[in-house]
Amino acid sequence: MGAQLRVYKRRIRSVTATKKITKAMEMIAASRVVKAQRKVAASTPYATELIRAVTAVGTGSNTKHPLTTQAETVTRSAVLLMTSDRGLAGAFNSNAIKAAEQLTERLEREGKEVDTYIVGRRGVAHYNFRERKIAESWSGFTDEPTYADAKKVAAPLIEAVQKDTVDGGVDELHVVYTEFVSMMTQTALGDQLLPLSLDEVAKEAAPKGEILPLYDFEPSAEDVLDALLPRYVESRIYNALLQSAASKHAATRRAMKSATDNAGDLIENLTRLANQARQAEITQEISEIVGGASALADATAGSDY
């Protein structure tokens, strides 16, 4: 029985150490998600105004540009998948990967060839394990992305958009990321970055009945769109990176809190079992002492006769 008690105590020490680690990770994730939320809130207005500027140029001119004009025949699309470098975040990575696979399947059913770009080691590992082709990948900055990281990711995508499809270019650009809705809700979704749907954006941006202004462009609308293209893609990717980072930290916090609570419940159960084992051991020792005393008394009474 003593051996059983030692096993319970050893398991309690092990689970207690694990609980301390998960609690510390929960607190770290909670502090990081607040910072990430602030960055998302700070970057969103710039991205929104940039979309409005692109919409103004696109609706105010007849210029055909890859930023605002859909190709007559779309033959190749690019999908940018955003995952994390680390795990311990519940279903965060699996949901994003699943959304990217569903988008890829839909594009392929439409007869389009898909080039996959991935941010984060988890997504890269998933595709490499299944021997799927990756056009390009990035990692090492998913917890705290910067605008420089967004520019690094956007550069090959912009280059692919500006190329002809016969030269390896793409007609469409999609991004799959996890949108931060709240501390308890994060949603994996796919957005089409290029070409930008001017009609939908105009309906969302302009109040009902408002007349959109007319613009004159200098030197030309095409030059303005050329200048806006990299900034638009970089700002949208940066905002998506920040959304994914905030979502990942929130998912980690939730997962670590669940692990900490489960560790507490397990310690409570093990403590109860250890107490039962200790009580059984004490009861057995008392029984042995009483039995020995009884046997000694019987032996002494027999010798008197």
Side-chain angles (χ1 to χ4, degrees):
M1 193 61 68
Q4 188 69 24
L5 182 60
R6 286 194 297 271
V7 170
Y8 287 138
K9 288 183 177 180
R10 184 165 59 249
R11 291 188 62 188
I12 290 173
R13 288 194 298 269
S14 176
V15 176
T16 301
T18 302
K19 182 180 178 182
K20 292 180 180 178
I21 295 173
T22 56
K23 184 64 178 178
M25 294 181 69
E26 176 190 348
M27 296 175 66
I28 293 172
S31 65
R32 286 181 175 177
V33 72
V34 174
K35 296 179 182 178
Q37 279 182 277
R38 293 173 182 169
K39 290 183 179 180
V40 170
S43 69
T44 300
Y46 175 76
T48 302
E49 291 301 322
L50 197 55
I51 293 174
R52 290 179 178 176
V54 173
T55 304
V57 181
T59 56
S61 67
N62 296 323
T63 302
K64 291 186 178 181
H65 193 273
L67 184 56
T68 58
T69 306
Q70 182 77 36
E72 294 181 1
T73 303
V74 179
T75 59
R76 178 176 292 179
S77 301
V79 174
L80 174 62
L81 167 61
M82 294 186 178
T83 60
S84 66
D85 291 327
R86 302 177 183 179
L88 301 178
F92 169 79
N93 289 303
S94 60
N95 287 340
I97 292 171
K98 182 179 179 180
E101 290 177 341
Q102 290 175 347
L103 175 60
T104 300
E105 290 176 0
R106 178 175 65 81
L107 294 174
E108 290 178 345
R109 285 197 303 268
E110 295 173 359
K112 303 172 185 176
E113 185 179 350
V114 179
D115 292 341
T116 303
Y117 298 79
I118 301 178
V119 175
R121 295 192 183 96
R122 291 293 173 175
V124 174
H126 177 88
Y127 274 69
N128 285 338
F129 180 76
R130 288 158 180 78
E131 298 182 352
R132 298 176 183 173
K133 184 180 178 181
I134 301 175
E136 197 160 347
S137 63
W138 304 267
S139 61
F141 54 81
T142 58
D143 283 350
E144 296 182 1
T146 63
Y147 195 82
D149 298 324
K151 292 183 68 174
K152 182 169 61 176
V153 174
L157 295 171
I158 296 171
E159 183 181 354
V161 169
Q162 293 174 335
K163 283 183 181 179
D164 293 332
T165 53
V166 293
D167 298 327
V170 297
D171 300 312
E172 291 179 342
L173 172 58
H174 301 262
V175 58
V176 178
Y177 66 101
T178 305
E179 181 185 23
F180 181 85
V181 180
S182 66
M183 291 294 292
M184 297 301 297
T185 306
Q186 300 86 42
T187 306
L189 51 83
D191 281 345
Q192 180 174 317
L193 295 190
L194 296 175
L196 183 63
S197 179
L198 299 179
D199 294 336
E200 294 181 4
V201 175
K203 290 179 181 178
E204 294 177 0
K208 293 182 179 179
E210 181 180 346
I211 300 175
L212 296 177
L214 297 177
Y215 295 92
D216 289 329
F217 304 104
E218 183 68 29
S220 67
E222 185 175 359
D223 292 334
V224 173
L225 288 173
D226 287 338
L228 287 176
L229 174 61
R231 289 174 175 79
Y232 166 75
V233 176
E234 291 166 3
S235 66
R236 290 293 303 274
I237 290 177
Y238 180 52
N239 186 261
L241 286 172
L242 293 177
Q243 293 269 7
S244 293
S247 299
K248 188 267 178 184
H249 294 318
T252 298
R253 176 184 175 276
R254 188 168 61 251
M256 292 301 100
K257 184 180 186 307
S258 177
T260 302
D261 294 342
N262 291 337
D265 294 339
L266 183 57
I267 290 172
E268 183 178 347
N269 293 335
L270 290 173
T271 301
R272 187 181 300 110
L273 293 173
N275 291 338
Q276 292 175 358
R278 185 187 302 109
Q279 186 64 42
E281 184 177 354
I282 293 172
T283 302
Q284 181 178 355
E285 291 178 354
I286 292 175
S287 299
E288 291 176 354
I289 292 172
V290 172
S294 178
L296 182 61
D298 294 341
T300 302
S303 62
D304 290 340
Y305 290 109

